[in-house]
Amino acid sequence: MERYCGPGDTDGEHWNLKSCGWKVPQGAVLNSSTDVFSMTPIFPSSQGDMPYATIMKLVLMGTESQTVANALNPWALQCSLSFCVQTLSSTVVNGSLIEDLTNVVYNSTIVDMSSSEIVSDSNGTSNPTEYPVYISIPSSPTYQISMGAKLALVGWFSTLFRAGSATRSASSFNRTVSSTNSDAVAVNLTVGISSGETFFDTDIVTAFYWNYYQYPLGIPLLLSDLATSMTVAFRSFTGAKGVAGMAENVETYVHVRWVFLALPLVVVGSAVLFLGCVVWRTKVVDCEGWKGSALAVLRCGLDTEIRRSFLGMGDMNSVRKVAREVRVRLDEDENGIWLRE
């Protein structure tokens, strides 16, 4: 950046640097020392002064610091908005679409379109040569943006992002917002460390100025949001054509290894065989089940004499009849505790 002094910034023979502004080689200027911020759009010309895939460049300038109040800190930033082709990896997680940007391809070709040739088609009709924007990706089709679509965007952006500045002076703040400049904004501003009565030519300038002081990377953040919004708009326009891609979906497959069933099958089969043999043997010897009677447990504690009284009984009814007549008492000897008569 260097100083810019207009015709009225002299005190006779010398420049009055206190009232001079600033400028950059791209042509953007801060007209005077009261201009604290400016936004200047630059659009590609037909002579090929920048890559023809570029939609717009913005040159943003200011004189104030983000961290120190009332400190002179001239700065300039250039941002570029261009056509590109993105490679996206999309997944759906719990019903939400998640997109990851894996690759971006630009076209930096500079084309001189000032001398369009007249080309005749198969019907003999003469048409001027068109210069659509081509973006090529290896192993993928070439993507094209027509020159008509590009010029329409340039016209729209030239109106939306027309040049403007932020001026901090009493005379500027007291100006009347006229119908010829209905987008002008006069604000008693307090943002970050910057404050004071400020006159903005457009609300877009206000947004850039506010982001510059509100966030450390406010302007790149704002331009990134703008590029994202334009990308979503291109994909959502009526008549937008879909782009073929590779759809991948996660599928879950279960592979059963039947060998692991050998052990539980052997255990279950052996148990079934054992129980079958028990049932068969019980039926053959005509043995009644004891598991529902407490006599089987009590009989284990009887002494030898009492046990002999139960021998030879073939059914449970006889055992119960004898058990009703037996009277026992607890007795202890060297062999343990027994039930004796």
PDB file of all heavy atoms in Angstrom, residues 225-248:
ATOM      1  N   ASP A 225     -18.281 -18.404   3.588  1.00  0.00           N
ATOM      2  CA  ASP A 225     -19.726 -18.626   3.671  1.00  0.00           C
ATOM      3  C   ASP A 225     -20.413 -18.246   2.366  1.00  0.00           C
ATOM      4  O   ASP A 225     -21.369 -18.913   1.937  1.00  0.00           O
ATOM      5  CB  ASP A 225     -20.314 -17.814   4.826  1.00  0.00           C
ATOM      6  CG  ASP A 225     -19.887 -18.338   6.183  1.00  0.00           C
ATOM      7  OD1 ASP A 225     -19.416 -19.490   6.237  1.00  0.00           O
ATOM      8  OD2 ASP A 225     -20.018 -17.602   7.180  1.00  0.00           O
ATOM      9  N   LEU A 226     -19.931 -17.168   1.728  1.00  0.00           N
ATOM     10  CA  LEU A 226     -20.495 -16.760   0.441  1.00  0.00           C
ATOM     11  C   LEU A 226     -20.275 -17.843  -0.615  1.00  0.00           C
ATOM     12  O   LEU A 226     -21.195 -18.196  -1.364  1.00  0.00           O
ATOM     13  CB  LEU A 226     -19.868 -15.440  -0.002  1.00  0.00           C
ATOM     14  CG  LEU A 226     -20.215 -14.966  -1.425  1.00  0.00           C
ATOM     15  CD1 LEU A 226     -21.700 -14.698  -1.558  1.00  0.00           C
ATOM     16  CD2 LEU A 226     -19.394 -13.733  -1.804  1.00  0.00           C
ATOM     17  N   ALA A 227     -19.054 -18.396  -0.675  1.00  0.00           N
ATOM     18  CA  ALA A 227     -18.763 -19.454  -1.651  1.00  0.00           C
ATOM     19  C   ALA A 227     -19.601 -20.693  -1.385  1.00  0.00           C
ATOM     20  O   ALA A 227     -20.120 -21.321  -2.317  1.00  0.00           O
ATOM     21  CB  ALA A 227     -17.271 -19.801  -1.599  1.00  0.00           C
ATOM     22  N   THR A 228     -19.778 -21.040  -0.113  1.00  0.00           N
ATOM     23  CA  THR A 228     -20.614 -22.203   0.230  1.00  0.00           C
ATOM     24  C   THR A 228     -22.060 -21.976  -0.182  1.00  0.00           C
ATOM     25  O   THR A 228     -22.718 -22.871  -0.730  1.00  0.00           O
ATOM     26  CB  THR A 228     -20.525 -22.487   1.733  1.00  0.00           C
ATOM     27  OG1 THR A 228     -19.162 -22.735   2.097  1.00  0.00           O
ATOM     28  CG2 THR A 228     -21.360 -23.698   2.106  1.00  0.00           C
ATOM     29  N   SER A 229     -22.568 -20.764   0.078  1.00  0.00           N
ATOM     30  CA  SER A 229     -23.953 -20.451  -0.306  1.00  0.00           C
ATOM     31  C   SER A 229     -24.144 -20.520  -1.815  1.00  0.00           C
ATOM     32  O   SER A 229     -25.158 -21.035  -2.301  1.00  0.00           O
ATOM     33  CB  SER A 229     -24.333 -19.063   0.214  1.00  0.00           C
ATOM     34  OG  SER A 229     -24.227 -19.003   1.615  1.00  0.00           O
ATOM     35  N   MET A 230     -23.167 -20.001  -2.580  1.00  0.00           N
ATOM     36  CA  MET A 230     -23.278 -20.051  -4.031  1.00  0.00           C
ATOM     37  C   MET A 230     -23.219 -21.498  -4.535  1.00  0.00           C
ATOM     38  O   MET A 230     -23.919 -21.865  -5.477  1.00  0.00           O
ATOM     39  CB  MET A 230     -22.159 -19.228  -4.671  1.00  0.00           C
ATOM     40  CG  MET A 230     -22.291 -17.728  -4.464  1.00  0.00           C
ATOM     41  SD  MET A 230     -23.874 -17.078  -5.076  1.00  0.00           S
ATOM     42  CE  MET A 230     -23.787 -17.568  -6.804  1.00  0.00           C
ATOM     43  N   THR A 231     -22.387 -22.322  -3.899  1.00  0.00           N
ATOM     44  CA  THR A 231     -22.312 -23.728  -4.294  1.00  0.00           C
ATOM     45  C   THR A 231     -23.647 -24.425  -4.073  1.00  0.00           C
ATOM     46  O   THR A 231     -24.133 -25.168  -4.938  1.00  0.00           O
ATOM     47  CB  THR A 231     -21.207 -24.448  -3.489  1.00  0.00           C
ATOM     48  OG1 THR A 231     -19.963 -23.797  -3.728  1.00  0.00           O
ATOM     49  CG2 THR A 231     -21.096 -25.906  -3.898  1.00  0.00           C
ATOM     50  N   VAL A 232     -24.250 -24.188  -2.913  1.00  0.00           N
ATOM     51  CA  VAL A 232     -25.562 -24.790  -2.628  1.00  0.00           C
ATOM     52  C   VAL A 232     -26.607 -24.274  -3.605  1.00  0.00           C
ATOM     53  O   VAL A 232     -27.475 -25.017  -4.076  1.00  0.00           O
ATOM     54  CB  VAL A 232     -25.967 -24.494  -1.168  1.00  0.00           C
ATOM     55  CG1 VAL A 232     -27.386 -24.975  -0.896  1.00  0.00           C
ATOM     56  CG2 VAL A 232     -24.991 -25.162  -0.203  1.00  0.00           C
ATOM     57  N   ALA A 233     -26.532 -22.971  -3.944  1.00  0.00           N
ATOM     58  CA  ALA A 233     -27.505 -22.399  -4.887  1.00  0.00           C
ATOM     59  C   ALA A 233     -27.368 -23.034  -6.261  1.00  0.00           C
ATOM     60  O   ALA A 233     -28.380 -23.364  -6.910  1.00  0.00           O
ATOM     61  CB  ALA A 233     -27.299 -20.881  -4.972  1.00  0.00           C
ATOM     62  N   PHE A 234     -26.124 -23.220  -6.744  1.00  0.00           N
ATOM     63  CA  PHE A 234     -25.935 -23.849  -8.049  1.00  0.00           C
ATOM     64  C   PHE A 234     -26.540 -25.252  -8.079  1.00  0.00           C
ATOM     65  O   PHE A 234     -27.138 -25.674  -9.073  1.00  0.00           O
ATOM     66  CB  PHE A 234     -24.449 -23.938  -8.389  1.00  0.00           C
ATOM     67  CG  PHE A 234     -23.853 -22.636  -8.837  1.00  0.00           C
ATOM     68  CD1 PHE A 234     -22.541 -22.312  -8.515  1.00  0.00           C
ATOM     69  CD2 PHE A 234     -24.596 -21.726  -9.551  1.00  0.00           C
ATOM     70  CE1 PHE A 234     -21.995 -21.108  -8.912  1.00  0.00           C
ATOM     71  CE2 PHE A 234     -24.070 -20.523  -9.955  1.00  0.00           C
ATOM     72  CZ  PHE A 234     -22.762 -20.210  -9.632  1.00  0.00           C
ATOM     73  N   ARG A 235     -26.390 -25.972  -6.986  1.00  0.00           N
ATOM     74  CA  ARG A 235     -26.894 -27.343  -6.952  1.00  0.00           C
ATOM     75  C   ARG A 235     -28.400 -27.399  -6.763  1.00  0.00           C
ATOM     76  O   ARG A 235     -29.012 -28.446  -6.963  1.00  0.00           O
ATOM     77  CB  ARG A 235     -26.202 -28.103  -5.816  1.00  0.00           C
ATOM     78  CG  ARG A 235     -24.704 -28.269  -6.032  1.00  0.00           C
ATOM     79  CD  ARG A 235     -24.004 -28.739  -4.790  1.00  0.00           C
ATOM     80  NE  ARG A 235     -24.489 -30.023  -4.328  1.00  0.00           N
ATOM     81  CZ  ARG A 235     -24.085 -30.627  -3.209  1.00  0.00           C
ATOM     82  NH1 ARG A 235     -23.180 -30.027  -2.453  1.00  0.00           N
ATOM     83  NH2 ARG A 235     -24.566 -31.784  -2.860  1.00  0.00           N
ATOM     84  N   SER A 236     -29.006 -26.274  -6.326  1.00  0.00           N
ATOM     85  CA  SER A 236     -30.434 -26.266  -6.012  1.00  0.00           C
ATOM     86  C   SER A 236     -31.276 -25.550  -7.047  1.00  0.00           C
ATOM     87  O   SER A 236     -32.510 -25.558  -6.951  1.00  0.00           O
ATOM     88  CB  SER A 236     -30.657 -25.604  -4.635  1.00  0.00           C
ATOM     89  OG  SER A 236     -29.862 -26.211  -3.647  1.00  0.00           O
ATOM     90  N   PHE A 237     -30.642 -24.887  -8.044  1.00  0.00           N
ATOM     91  CA  PHE A 237     -31.414 -24.150  -9.043  1.00  0.00           C
ATOM     92  C   PHE A 237     -32.346 -25.088  -9.805  1.00  0.00           C
ATOM     93  O   PHE A 237     -32.016 -26.253 -10.061  1.00  0.00           O
ATOM     94  CB  PHE A 237     -30.488 -23.450 -10.038  1.00  0.00           C
ATOM     95  CG  PHE A 237     -29.886 -22.174  -9.513  1.00  0.00           C
ATOM     96  CD1 PHE A 237     -28.661 -21.712  -9.986  1.00  0.00           C
ATOM     97  CD2 PHE A 237     -30.538 -21.440  -8.546  1.00  0.00           C
ATOM     98  CE1 PHE A 237     -28.103 -20.538  -9.496  1.00  0.00           C
ATOM     99  CE2 PHE A 237     -29.983 -20.267  -8.050  1.00  0.00           C
ATOM    100  CZ  PHE A 237     -28.777 -19.826  -8.527  1.00  0.00           C
ATOM    101  N   THR A 238     -33.493 -24.547 -10.178  1.00  0.00           N
ATOM    102  CA  THR A 238     -34.410 -25.299 -11.036  1.00  0.00           C
ATOM    103  C   THR A 238     -33.737 -25.580 -12.380  1.00  0.00           C
ATOM    104  O   THR A 238     -33.219 -24.674 -13.018  1.00  0.00           O
ATOM    105  CB  THR A 238     -35.713 -24.516 -11.247  1.00  0.00           C
ATOM    106  OG1 THR A 238     -36.305 -24.243  -9.967  1.00  0.00           O
ATOM    107  CG2 THR A 238     -36.673 -25.297 -12.119  1.00  0.00           C
ATOM    108  N   GLY A 239     -33.750 -26.830 -12.780  1.00  0.00           N
ATOM    109  CA  GLY A 239     -33.110 -27.217 -14.034  1.00  0.00           C
ATOM    110  C   GLY A 239     -31.675 -27.646 -13.878  1.00  0.00           C
ATOM    111  O   GLY A 239     -31.026 -27.993 -14.872  1.00  0.00           O
ATOM    112  N   ALA A 240     -31.146 -27.625 -12.661  1.00  0.00           N
ATOM    113  CA  ALA A 240     -29.764 -28.063 -12.450  1.00  0.00           C
ATOM    114  C   ALA A 240     -29.645 -29.549 -12.774  1.00  0.00           C
ATOM    115  O   ALA A 240     -30.508 -30.352 -12.428  1.00  0.00           O
ATOM    116  CB  ALA A 240     -29.338 -27.794 -11.009  1.00  0.00           C
ATOM    117  N   LYS A 241     -28.594 -29.903 -13.466  1.00  0.00           N
ATOM    118  CA  LYS A 241     -28.396 -31.286 -13.880  1.00  0.00           C
ATOM    119  C   LYS A 241     -27.573 -32.028 -12.832  1.00  0.00           C
ATOM    120  O   LYS A 241     -26.613 -31.494 -12.278  1.00  0.00           O
ATOM    121  CB  LYS A 241     -27.679 -31.343 -15.230  1.00  0.00           C
ATOM    122  CG  LYS A 241     -28.503 -30.765 -16.379  1.00  0.00           C
ATOM    123  CD  LYS A 241     -27.764 -30.896 -17.701  1.00  0.00           C
ATOM    124  CE  LYS A 241     -28.581 -30.331 -18.844  1.00  0.00           C
ATOM    125  NZ  LYS A 241     -27.870 -30.448 -20.140  1.00  0.00           N
ATOM    126  N   GLY A 242     -27.981 -33.266 -12.580  1.00  0.00           N
ATOM    127  CA  GLY A 242     -27.241 -34.093 -11.648  1.00  0.00           C
ATOM    128  C   GLY A 242     -25.918 -34.543 -12.232  1.00  0.00           C
ATOM    129  O   GLY A 242     -25.760 -34.657 -13.451  1.00  0.00           O
ATOM    130  N   VAL A 243     -24.956 -34.765 -11.385  1.00  0.00           N
ATOM    131  CA  VAL A 243     -23.632 -35.240 -11.796  1.00  0.00           C
ATOM    132  C   VAL A 243     -23.474 -36.676 -11.324  1.00  0.00           C
ATOM    133  O   VAL A 243     -23.687 -36.975 -10.148  1.00  0.00           O
ATOM    134  CB  VAL A 243     -22.520 -34.360 -11.193  1.00  0.00           C
ATOM    135  CG1 VAL A 243     -21.152 -34.897 -11.569  1.00  0.00           C
ATOM    136  CG2 VAL A 243     -22.677 -32.927 -11.671  1.00  0.00           C
ATOM    137  N   ALA A 244     -23.137 -37.537 -12.262  1.00  0.00           N
ATOM    138  CA  ALA A 244     -22.988 -38.951 -11.920  1.00  0.00           C
ATOM    139  C   ALA A 244     -21.818 -39.137 -10.964  1.00  0.00           C
ATOM    140  O   ALA A 244     -20.773 -38.506 -11.098  1.00  0.00           O
ATOM    141  CB  ALA A 244     -22.767 -39.780 -13.187  1.00  0.00           C
ATOM    142  N   GLY A 245     -22.004 -39.981  -9.995  1.00  0.00           N
ATOM    143  CA  GLY A 245     -20.947 -40.281  -9.031  1.00  0.00           C
ATOM    144  C   GLY A 245     -21.013 -41.735  -8.619  1.00  0.00           C
ATOM    145  O   GLY A 245     -21.786 -42.526  -9.161  1.00  0.00           O
ATOM    146  N   MET A 246     -20.209 -42.099  -7.687  1.00  0.00           N
ATOM    147  CA  MET A 246     -20.179 -43.465  -7.178  1.00  0.00           C
ATOM    148  C   MET A 246     -20.871 -43.483  -5.820  1.00  0.00           C
ATOM    149  O   MET A 246     -20.455 -42.805  -4.882  1.00  0.00           O
ATOM    150  CB  MET A 246     -18.731 -43.955  -7.039  1.00  0.00           C
ATOM    151  CG  MET A 246     -18.638 -45.391  -6.527  1.00  0.00           C
ATOM    152  SD  MET A 246     -16.918 -45.951  -6.374  1.00  0.00           S
ATOM    153  CE  MET A 246     -16.423 -45.909  -8.098  1.00  0.00           C
ATOM    154  N   ALA A 247     -21.954 -44.245  -5.734  1.00  0.00           N
ATOM    155  CA  ALA A 247     -22.706 -44.345  -4.491  1.00  0.00           C
ATOM    156  C   ALA A 247     -22.208 -45.546  -3.698  1.00  0.00           C
ATOM    157  O   ALA A 247     -22.165 -46.665  -4.213  1.00  0.00           O
ATOM    158  CB  ALA A 247     -24.204 -44.479  -4.778  1.00  0.00           C
ATOM    159  N   GLU A 248     -21.827 -45.300  -2.482  1.00  0.00           N
ATOM    160  CA  GLU A 248     -21.345 -46.371  -1.614  1.00  0.00           C
ATOM    161  C   GLU A 248     -22.192 -46.402  -0.354  1.00  0.00           C
ATOM    162  O   GLU A 248     -22.536 -45.368   0.201  1.00  0.00           O
ATOM    163  CB  GLU A 248     -19.877 -46.149  -1.237  1.00  0.00           C
ATOM    164  CG  GLU A 248     -18.948 -46.169  -2.450  1.00  0.00           C
ATOM    165  CD  GLU A 248     -17.500 -45.936  -2.062  1.00  0.00           C
ATOM    166  OE1 GLU A 248     -17.273 -45.727  -0.853  1.00  0.00           O
ATOM    167  OE2 GLU A 248     -16.635 -45.971  -2.937  1.00  0.00           O
TER     168      GLU A 248
END
